[in-house]
Amino acid sequence: MSPLTTAAPGAPVVDLDLADLRRDPYPAYAELRRTAPLAWVPSVGRHLLTRYEDIVHAEKLPEVFSSREEGSLLLRTVGRNMLREDDPDHRRLRSAAEPPTRPRQVRDLWAGAFERTAHELLDKIADRGEADLIADFAEPLVAANLALVLGLRDASAEDIAGWSRAMMAGNSNYADDPDIWLRAEQATGAIEDAVARAAEAARREPDGSVISSMVHAAEPVELTEIQNNVKVIIGGGVNEPRDVFGVGAWALLNRPEVLDRVLAEPSSWKRVFEETARWVSPIGMYPRQLTQDYEIAGLTLPAGSRVALVIASGNRDESVFERADEFDLDRPHRPHLAFGGGPHFCMGAWVARHEVSAIAWPLIFDRLKGLRLADGATASDSDSAAGRMDGWVFRGPTSLNVTWHAAQAA
Amino acid sequence: MPTVIFQLPDGTERKVTAASGTVLMQAAVSNGVQGIVAECGGNASCATCHVYVDADRSELVGGPNDVEDEMLDFTAAERRPTSRLSCQVELSDALDGLVVHVPEEQV
Ligand code: FES
């Protein structure tokens, strides 16, 4: 099925400026939900599906809304991989890779090391009294954790974070910038080498990691498949937990009364995680391609149509979440869409929940006494001395500058 | 065609009939039973299709498989001896009239 790169007959065409979307996509999404819940957006080259119910509906029909989108930027960046496959190939790869990311494995195999790494990073900055919590803490933490879970023993946190950044830039290179493609290719080449070495080692000596699990899978997985899937995991595995960490810390530092409540009631970190992921989803949208003609949101899309499921918009749908633009820990429980749905439900969900809500957030507030945003930040700022929120395909604070009472730090 | 009764946290009941061989989660979702979220679509990776099987049929329904057992430790509502992931329970004629309780929260 070749992809259709034009609007479906009758679909409203809405021009959206990518730079505006990066700055703040939410006003545009609100307008789309109200006036054109399925709209062709030329700058994105897809129909944007923006209402909660329609997105959930599409997620539950993987045989119609196929993950095999041809010509996707992700395929160009990393090659064929499980995110862009449907079952049974998707299932085979996912089953091979998944066991080390299940919650009990996270708790029993990885949590201790995650915590040690977090303490080491905090040891380095505790006396300084100021830091960028993204660059100095969250990114190196999640990158080191990811190297461990994947089984990339020779890769440093900097390697992983750098590779992730280069691939993510490729994956959202809608402007087709050649420099971005070049950097992405260098990163994927380096990952292929590192994975080949790790797979060789794991073949001799299994170590419970994702690479090891794929090497020893019941249904055989080829080295190229391991390499490509590790690339995809490095892409998401760094920026998603890093961004949830950043957004949640940002939200709490801007709301001292909420923060006090959370600190008094540590079980609520879980709620903080889920509400943060709803409020600003680290992945804003993902593509699907129709395998057959299908009617959704009042329009019939022809087979081959390209659709973006805009989960960032679904998570702000007022018909599901009252005062959806607000960060509110007490809102009635409704499932958010941040992890995606159906067979592609985020494989890193349990790793991210643990490293962010059980380790990273509680530790920074425990060890960095008097933690607050750097001067100049106010509750509504998305662009201030404390940092800037950026992105629409992926979204989070690019920096989070904070200060604390260094003398009292543990 | 077995019939299953879902008891919802607000006290209401939903009666659903599905073909033998249908997965309990699927029977709930395709009939719009509130409270069975099933984010992962039945792949035992999300733990949001948690149910409590009524005690007197629990033995007949059976216990969780290995992966399910692990996920059940991480459900949003407390795990109980009769907890199952509804996506791992296959309906059969022997289960006609089964009552399951939907927990207060799934996420
Ligand atoms: S539907 Fe996800 S675990 Fe059952």
Side-chain angles (χ1 to χ4, degrees), chain A residues 60 91 94 98 102-105 107 271 274 333 335-336 341-343 345 350, chain B residues 29 37-41 43 45-47 67 69-71 73-74 79 105 107:
Chain A
K60 299 230 153 102
R91 190 67 237 151
R94 168 97 183 215
E98 189 177 57
R102 288 196 195 119
R104 194 181 285 163
Q105 306 299 317
R107 190 188 60 196
R271 292 292 314 144
E274 303 306 328
H333 288 203
H336 63 70
F345 176 78
W350 299 97
Chain B
V29 167
V37 176
E39 280 176 334
C40 76
N43 290 291
S45 23
C46 71
V67 173
D69 176 56
E70 164 164 6
M71 300 306 295
D73 279 351
F74 297 86
R79 179 178 185 167
E105 50 184 66
V107 192

Side-chain angles (χ1 to χ4, degrees), chain A residues 342 345 350, chain B residues 23 25 29 36-50 68 71 85-88:
Chain A
F345 176 78
W350 299 97
Chain B
V23 169
M25 176 280 280
V29 167
I36 302 293
V37 176
E39 280 176 334
C40 76
N43 290 291
S45 23
C46 71
T48 65
C49 63
H50 183 199
E68 182 187 355
M71 300 306 295
L85 293 180
S86 57
C87 69
Q88 305 298 307

Side-chain angles (χ1 to χ4, degrees), chain A residues 71-135:
Chain A
S72 86
L73 295 180
L74 182 68
L75 281 180
R76 175 163 172 189
T77 309
V78 311
R80 287 187 69 165
N81 67 82
M82 64 173 122
L83 263 193
R84 291 290 172 273
E85 290 287 349
D86 296 325
D87 290 350
D89 259 341
H90 161 263
R91 190 67 237 151
R92 174 176 59 90
L93 295 165
R94 168 97 183 215
S95 309
E98 189 177 57
T101 67
R102 288 196 195 119
R104 194 181 285 163
Q105 306 299 317
V106 171
R107 190 188 60 196
D108 296 349
L109 268 180
W110 315 119
F114 286 2
E115 206 166 328
R116 279 193 298 281
T117 305
H119 275 295
E120 280 163 25
L121 288 163
L122 288 174
D123 288 344
K124 283 195 204 156
I125 58 169
D127 289 340
R128 280 187 1 208
E130 59 173 3
D132 171 0
L133 283 182
I134 304 297

Side-chain angles (χ1 to χ4, degrees), chain A residues 15 76 78 94 117 128 150 155 167 191 265 286-287 303 326 338:
Chain A
D15 279 313
R76 175 163 172 189
V78 311
R94 168 97 183 215
T117 305
R128 280 187 1 208
L150 285 172
M167 287 189 298
I191 296 172
E265 197 188 321
Y286 48 85
E326 285 173 34

